[in-house]
Amino acid sequence: MRPDVISSTNGSSHTLNGSPASPSQKAAFPLSMNGQALHTTSNGDLHTNGSQKSRLNSSTYFGHDREEVTRILIQSLYELGYDGAASLLSKESGYQLESPAVATFRNAVLEGRWAEAEQILVHSFHYERDSGRGGRRTEQHPTKERLILVEHAEKNEMLFHLRQQKFLELLEARDLGAALIVLRHELTPLNYDIGRLHALSSLLMCPPEHLHDQAGWDSPISSSRERLLSELSSMSQLKSSPSILTHNSAESISPSVMIPDNRLAILLDHVKQNQINQCLYHNTANPPSLYSDHMCDRKDFPLRTEIQLTEQRDEVWWCSFSHDGTRLVTACKDSTVILYDTDTFTVLHTLKEHTDGVVHCEFSPDDSKLITCSQDKTARVWSVETGRCLLTINHHRQPVTSAAWAPDGETFVTASLDLSTQLCYWSMRGHNLHSWDGGFRVQDCTMTPDGRRLVAADLEGKLHVYNFATRDEEYCLTTKSRPTSVAVSKDSRYLLVNLADNQLQLIDLNTTEVVRRFQGQKQGNFVIRSVFGGAADNFIVSGSEDSRIYIWHKENGTLVEVLEAHTRGCVNSLSWNPANSGMFASAGDDYMVRIWTKERDTRPGAAAAKHRAVSGNGFARTSALRSTSRF
């Protein structure tokens, strides 16, 4: 709820639309702080918690604009449901949240009264043009609602956004005739963003089940209308997925009169994120408290080897925990796959039906099934409970390098070095549901957790990003060297790419920008599968050809730790336990899988880590997967 009242501009004693908001006009009300009432001493001084309160008439609050702070607090109280407190604060301070024009415009958009919203918008542009852009103010209709616009606001751009929303809602309602009229007679005459106009017209032929995905809508109408308001008023720039709605739009309505929604929450998020960014060992999903500054203890970070798994008889090329953290799978050059119980790290099943090295394993979303990919040119699906092989995919003519489950847990994608069938989509009945064209060899692939995108890395230094619902390629990125592995963050936003030139890149999947680069590890010849680590994906973790493990802070790029991990050769694969942020596993050429835990958790008698670095130089490697130059 927002009061239909007049707002002042930034600056405590300025006026807007002729309505004063002076501190001298504020009424006196009882105040409290931290739950304790203000009290007056015998000499008349006002105190709170023993501190003198003498800033009531100041235009600043500890260096911040007093009006901005107060109005943001009023907005937050309404959002928290404390309407009475918000009204009281507004009355006592003399500051109002929104003008009648803003409230009317907001309600018109949220309720889909597009003609009324456009009328307010157009009148606001006429008023600004006549009064503030070189002409005299003409008050022919002084009672009409108007918005305060920023100097660079463009009328056609704002009208386009309003009419685009109207068009998309008509499409969703399957009123194609009305949608076509809006497209032809309302959107086209604006002559704004012809490319997007063509994209909108293509939606007329889009199946209903794909409309939200193609239009970039991932929420109901009410939420999309709220996003439209934020688009027009907030200072943040919208950078959505490469879709119909993608654009960078600076604010058009001045934030001083239409405060962006949830402004205090956003500011608090920035405070918390800054604390996390400054905390090198932040390894908890719980956000920092606002009551005090935050810093994690290094002793709570997994830096010690608690257990060494020695059942493997050759180089270990893969390790990964199940989604619930109760299982660990390892895959070996000798073609065996081992499933462990992570409570005791005893062997549950040893899977032996592959005839060549196993390079990749993937648990289904519900952890009931496991896909294994092998250099024997097959992929197999297993029951995690029984260890029985449920399905064999022998469609590929070259090694199967990777696999990814769809969110339904009943279909999956396999990737291969086969030029003719490099990327295939399968059902659990073994039916080929789709094959992607391209004529390239896929080194690795992954699915975003939200199921929207499939990413494939080829041997030619390209990253192919597909819309999984439509099967279309959204875009293709070129890297400077060969990518050896790809991984996606839990929020489906960031792609981690391991490159053969000793570099990892963090790429924003929405903007395609390289957000950060990580360097230090040694890589040039072999496949290393790097991962996100920590309770909230706060870390980047990579193996290395020098037998070490490298851990970086994801947000600030700091190299947090270099661990002397394995005794020889390459550290090939890592996995952070999703259910226990204080545990991760590493797999190496020394035939071992090591379980790393935090120092406080190390059990008496557990095997100690062997802290020595043995170079992998000269250590024989025969894997065709490791060196794919023969193709």
Side-chain angles (χ1 to χ4, degrees):
M1 177 187 296
R2 290 176 171 78
D4 290 344
V5 288
I6 298 175
S7 169
S8 60
T9 58
N10 293 340
S12 60
S13 61
H14 291 279
T15 63
L16 175 64
N17 297 341
S19 178
S22 171
S24 64
Q25 297 175 337
K26 298 170 188 173
F29 283 85
L31 300 175
S32 65
M33 179 175 286
N34 293 341
Q36 299 185 20
L38 296 176
H39 61 275
T40 306
T41 61
S42 58
N43 61 6
D45 291 336
L46 193 63
H47 288 263
T48 174
N49 294 344
S51 299
Q52 185 175 6
K53 183 72 174 178
S54 59
R55 300 182 180 87
L56 285 176
N57 294 321
S58 172
S59 62
T60 64
Y61 172 73
F62 293 98
H64 302 285
D65 185 283
R66 192 179 192 85
E67 179 185 355
E68 290 185 358
V69 172
T70 305
R71 292 178 62 213
I72 289 174
L73 288 175
I74 294 171
Q75 180 199 54
S76 303
L77 288 171
Y78 277 117
E79 291 172 344
L80 287 167
Y82 303 136
D83 294 7
S87 297
L88 181 63
L89 178 56
S90 180
K91 181 179 179 181
E92 181 177 357
S93 66
Y95 298 133
Q96 313 295 346
L97 181 58
E98 289 183 345
S99 70
V102 170
T104 303
F105 180 76
R106 179 188 297 277
N107 290 335
V109 171
L110 292 179
E111 295 172 12
R113 304 195 306 268
W114 305 116
E116 182 180 354
E118 284 197 21
Q119 185 179 21
I120 295 173
L121 196 59
V122 171
H123 177 66
S124 301
F125 273 98
H126 290 165
Y127 179 82
E128 291 291 322
R129 180 194 61 195
D130 294 338
S131 63
R133 301 182 182 180
R136 291 191 309 163
R137 180 175 297 186
T138 57
E139 290 284 355
Q140 297 177 356
H141 303 285
T143 61
K144 280 192 175 181
E145 307 285 11
R146 56 178 175 265
L147 307 172
I148 303 301
L149 305 174
V150 296
E151 184 178 355
H152 56 265
E154 294 292 338
K155 181 175 73 173
N156 281 6
E157 179 183 12
M158 297 182 73
L159 288 174
F160 189 93
H161 295 331
L162 286 173
R163 294 173 182 178
Q164 174 182 254
Q165 180 75 19
K166 179 181 177 181
F167 170 79
L168 292 173
E169 289 186 15
L170 289 170
L171 279 186
E172 185 177 53
R174 305 313 295 163
D175 192 345
L176 301 184
L180 185 59
I181 291 174
V182 172
L183 181 69
R184 288 179 175 175
H185 301 293
E186 297 184 28
L187 283 165
T188 302
L190 294 175
N191 197 31
Y192 174 81
D193 200 337
I194 303 303
R196 197 183 321 159
L197 189 66
H198 290 162
L200 288 173
S201 64
S202 68
L203 294 180
L204 289 167
M205 305 300 294
C206 180
E209 61 271 19
H210 294 156
L211 178 61
H212 274 225
D213 192 68
Q214 287 288 83
W217 276 11
D218 53 4
S219 55
I221 286 178
S222 58
S223 298
S224 65
R225 290 175 179 175
E226 289 172 358
R227 183 170 68 173
L228 173 62
L229 280 170
S230 297
E231 215 173 299
L232 297 172
S233 66
S234 73
M235 290 186 290
S236 63
Q237 293 188 337
L238 178 63
K239 290 185 177 180
S240 181
S241 60
S243 65
I244 301 300
L245 297 181
T246 301
H247 60 285
N248 296 335
S249 177
E251 76 265 18
S252 297
I253 303 171
S254 173
S256 67
V257 296
M258 182 185 281
I259 301 174
D261 288 342
N262 316 121
R263 187 60 186 158
L264 180 60
I266 292 171
L267 294 174
L268 295 179
D269 282 344
H270 291 334
V271 171
K272 290 184 176 182
Q273 191 59 50
N274 183 63
Q275 292 206 34
I276 291 173
N277 293 349
Q278 299 303 316
C279 178
L280 286 183
Y281 296 97
H282 186 78
N283 188 27
T284 172
N286 299 322
S289 170
L290 293 171
Y291 288 130
S292 61
D293 292 339
H294 171 79
M295 190 61 66
C296 290
D297 193 329
R298 184 175 183 269
K299 292 181 179 179
D300 291 324
F301 199 79
L303 299 174
R304 295 170 61 93
T305 300
E306 180 180 5
I307 297 172
Q308 298 178 7
L309 306 179
T310 59
E311 287 78 12
Q312 295 76 18
R313 295 292 179 262
D314 210 325
E315 297 170 3
V316 189
W317 289 348
W318 179 269
C319 67
S320 63
F321 287 98
S322 59
H323 298 92
D324 62 8
T326 63
R327 301 288 184 265
L328 174 73
V329 64
T330 65
C332 198
K333 178 183 175 181
D334 68 0
S335 77
T336 60
V337 175
I338 301 177
L339 270 169
Y340 294 89
D341 182 315
T342 57
D343 284 338
T344 60
F345 285 98
T346 55
V347 175
L348 295 175
H349 304 292
T350 300
L351 314 178
K352 296 182 176 181
E353 293 191 26
H354 283 291
T355 60
D356 206 339
V358 179
V359 298
H360 185 101
C361 304
E362 191 81 11
F363 285 98
S364 62
D366 63 358
D367 292 325
S368 66
K369 296 182 286 292
L370 178 75
I371 300 177
T372 57
C373 305
S374 173
Q375 289 185 325
D376 65 7
K377 306 176 186 177
T378 70
R380 294 177 182 269
V381 182
W382 310 78
S383 166
V384 172
E385 182 179 359
T386 66
R388 183 171 63 90
C389 183
L390 305 175
L391 175 67
T392 299
I393 301 296
N394 52 18
H395 179 74
H396 300 285
R397 301 175 185 173
Q398 294 292 346
V400 182
T401 55
S402 183
W405 286 95
D408 62 11
E410 295 297 325
T411 56
F412 57 92
V413 174
T414 57
S416 171
L417 298 178
D418 190 343
L419 276 172
S420 58
T421 59
Q422 75 279 357
L423 210 56
C424 298
Y425 182 36
W426 305 93
S427 72
M428 277 302 297
R429 294 180 178 272
H431 298 151
N432 188 343
L433 304 177
H434 184 76
S435 292
W436 282 266
D437 297 327
F440 51 85
R441 306 180 195 275
V442 177
Q443 176 66 71
D444 197 12
C445 76
T446 187
M447 185 87 67
T448 57
D450 61 11
R452 292 185 61 183
R453 292 187 174 109
L454 173 69
V455 182
D458 71 20
L459 295 183
E460 304 302 320
K462 292 182 180 179
L463 300 171
H464 305 266
V465 180
Y466 299 93
N467 182 312
F468 188 63
T470 65
R471 316 286 188 253
D472 296 328
E473 185 175 85
E474 288 188 5
Y475 55 87
C476 179
L477 303 177
T478 300
T479 59
K480 292 184 177 180
S481 66
R482 178 173 58 88
T484 67
S485 71
V486 288
V488 180
S489 58
K490 294 176 184 175
D491 61 6
S492 299
R493 180 173 179 181
Y494 295 107
L495 178 71
L496 179 64
V497 184
N498 198 312
L499 300 173
D501 63 350
N502 304 311
Q503 181 181 158
L504 286 81
Q505 290 186 357
L506 186 68
I507 298 174
D508 189 318
L509 282 170
N510 292 338
T511 66
T512 71
E513 295 176 356
V514 177
V515 177
R516 203 156 285 113
R517 291 177 171 84
F518 307 91
Q519 292 179 305
Q521 86 288 4
K522 304 297 185 291
Q523 182 176 6
N525 300 312
F526 309 128
V527 171
I528 296 175
R529 300 186 184 274
S530 305
V531 295
F532 291 90
D537 283 354
N538 293 327
F539 303 99
I540 302 298
V541 191
S542 179
S544 176
E545 292 180 10
D546 62 6
S547 308
R548 296 181 173 98
I549 295 172
Y550 290 74
I551 304 176
W552 297 267
H553 195 291
K554 186 186 74 174
E555 297 300 332
N556 59 37
T558 301
L559 182 59
V560 177
E561 292 286 345
V562 179
L563 304 179
E564 305 290 352
H566 289 255
T567 58
R568 61 179 180 179
C570 186
V571 180
N572 303 307
S573 176
L574 299 111
S575 180
W576 211 283
N577 190 331
N580 180 358
S581 62
M583 176 185 290
F584 72 89
S586 63
D589 284 348
D590 57 0
Y591 304 2
M592 283 192 182
V593 174
R594 296 174 181 257
I595 307 301
W596 301 79
T597 63
K598 53 190 178 182
E599 183 175 333
R600 298 184 199 272
D601 286 351
T602 302
R603 297 191 294 266
K610 294 179 174 62
H611 291 287
R612 57 181 179 138
V614 179
S615 172
N617 293 340
F619 189 71
R621 302 299 296 269
T622 59
S623 167
L625 180 70
R626 293 302 204 274
S627 179
T628 54
S629 58
R630 67 171 183 162
F631 295 107

